[in-house]
């Protein structure tokens, strides 16, 4: 039962991400939703292994966090955003 609930949590995180951000940020909506649906049970299983079987709410929170992290990895930068160089000393040009 908690596995299904964690899957729905991940799916909800992915749906909110695709709904709140412009469509051009994610390559495919179906891929984003599937990633959220798979990441939820992965996060729940990870927390279940670490915390034990009695931690339902922390498990669902971990499902939401893992889903948010994996969905955010799919996001592309906006079209107008230019890549900025990393701060630090410049390389010598000799």
């Amino acid at each position: 039962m908690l596995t299904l609930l964690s899957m729905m949590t991940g799916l909800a995180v992915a749906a909110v991400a695709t709904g709140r951000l412009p469509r051009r940020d994610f390559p495919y909506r179906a891929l984003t939703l599937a990633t959220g649906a798979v990441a939820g049970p992965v996060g729940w299983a990870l927390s279940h292994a670490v915390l034990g079987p009695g931690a339902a709410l922390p498990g669902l929170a971990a499902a939401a966090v893992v889903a948010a992290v994996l969905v955010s990895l799919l996001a592309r930068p906006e079209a107008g955003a230019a890549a900025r160089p990393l701060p630090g000393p410049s390389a010598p040009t000799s």
Side-chain angles (χ1 to χ4, degrees), residues 22-82:
R23 283 194 185 266
R24 67 180 186 272
D25 282 347
F26 295 100
Y28 300 102
R29 183 175 171 87
L31 176 66
T32 306
L33 294 175
T35 300
V38 170
V42 168
W44 177 80
L46 182 65
S47 70
H48 183 75
V50 171
L51 301 175
L57 285 177
L60 291 176
V65 168
V66 170
V69 167
L70 289 180
V71 165
S72 73
L73 291 176
L74 295 175
R76 295 181 294 194
E78 291 185 21

